[in-house]
Amino acid sequence: MNVLSSTFAKWYDFFMSPLEQSKFRRIRKELLSNAKGKVLELGSGTGVNFPLYTNADKVFAIEPNQHMIDQSKSKCKLATVPIEMINASAESLPFEDNSFDTVVATLVFCTIPNVDKAINEIKRVCKPNGKILLFEHVKMENTVLSVMQERFTPLWKKVCDGCCLDRETLKAFTTHGLEIVKFNQFYKDLFIVAELKNKS
């Protein structure tokens, strides 16, 4: 893991705090109230979701950045449900088929290198008719703003640990045959919240 990734992990909570203490926390709390049964969280980062799970039996939280895992240990102690942290990537999940009732991804698909492979892995490990809960920032519909996102992404990726500003994440999920059950947008259409069903 390079120095930039370590620095990004160290300062992530500090820079995200203004958003996380306001609307983001409410969005996360409402979304995660629907995470039930055996839950898989992709890219758990610094563990911001851990204290917000209330209805899960157990959460298996995968994160490829060991520095993020180290940062998340304090939040793991605040959780009211069991949390197991695993160093792994979304593109190669160390679980058997049909293992999870719910899969959670919050502000993570912007950084996953191979989105298609990660979605196929979600479909594999999620039970038939299981839930996928998303909270992501995406490419905006406004042409001027979306062009700006495209232009800023190469530099942004270098500074923010691979984060892409112009991902069409929800479209990627529906292209893979996942069914939208609920959908909402925030901050115009920069952020989306969705519940999808694994039909396979």
Side-chain angles (χ1 to χ4, degrees):
M1 195 65 64
N2 61 39
V3 175
L4 187 59
S5 292
S6 174
T7 303
F8 182 77
K10 181 179 179 180
W11 290 99
Y12 182 85
D13 283 341
F14 175 80
F15 286 112
M16 290 295 290
S17 181
L19 286 170
E20 292 292 355
Q21 294 303 317
S22 56
K23 194 159 190 174
F24 276 20
R25 183 175 178 84
R26 294 193 296 273
I27 291 170
R28 290 179 187 272
K29 191 172 183 179
E30 181 177 349
L31 181 71
L32 297 176
S33 68
N34 296 307
K36 299 177 181 179
K38 187 178 178 183
V39 176
L40 171 65
E41 180 175 340
L42 302 180
S44 54
T46 61
V48 66
N49 287 334
F50 293 171
L52 303 179
Y53 286 103
T54 55
N55 297 314
D57 295 333
K58 182 175 181 179
V59 176
F60 292 79
I62 70 154
E63 170 57 51
N65 185 333
Q66 183 61 46
H67 300 291
M68 287 286 197
I69 293 175
D70 294 340
Q71 290 281 105
S72 71
K73 289 178 181 177
S74 60
K75 295 188 186 71
C76 191
K77 295 176 183 177
L78 301 175
T80 59
V81 303
I83 307 284
E84 182 175 336
M85 293 178 290
I86 301 165
N87 190 320
S89 71
E91 298 98 329
S92 183
L93 297 173
F95 306 107
E96 295 181 358
D97 296 357
N98 306 322
S99 293
F100 295 96
D101 302 290
T102 309
V103 179
V104 172
T106 63
L107 304 183
V108 63
F109 264 88
C110 56
T111 62
I112 293 175
N114 191 324
V115 170
D116 290 330
K117 192 171 182 181
I119 294 174
N120 282 330
E121 279 290 88
I122 288 174
K123 292 178 66 177
R124 181 182 67 79
V125 302
C126 186
K127 294 178 181 178
N129 296 314
K131 296 179 188 175
I132 296 93
L133 304 176
L134 301 179
F135 169 37
E136 298 286 347
H137 69 78
V138 296
K139 187 174 183 179
M140 302 179 77
E141 295 173 8
N142 180 282
T143 303
V144 174
L145 294 176
S146 65
V147 169
M148 289 177 63
Q149 287 177 300
E150 291 173 358
R151 290 180 178 174
F152 277 115
T153 286
L155 176 60
W156 190 260
K157 283 177 66 176
K158 293 179 182 178
V159 175
C160 295
D161 203 30
C163 176
C164 298
L165 298 170
D166 57 351
R167 289 267 171 93
E168 296 183 89
T169 301
L170 191 60
K171 181 179 179 181
F173 272 84
T174 56
T175 298
H176 281 267
L178 291 150
E179 177 184 336
I180 298 174
V181 177
K182 297 178 183 177
F183 171 71
N184 207 346
Q185 296 173 312
F186 297 91
Y187 297 100
K188 296 188 183 292
D189 58 347
L190 177 58
F191 292 91
I192 61 101
V193 174
E195 177 183 326
L196 301 100
K197 182 193 292 186
N198 185 25
K199 296 193 295 183
S200 61

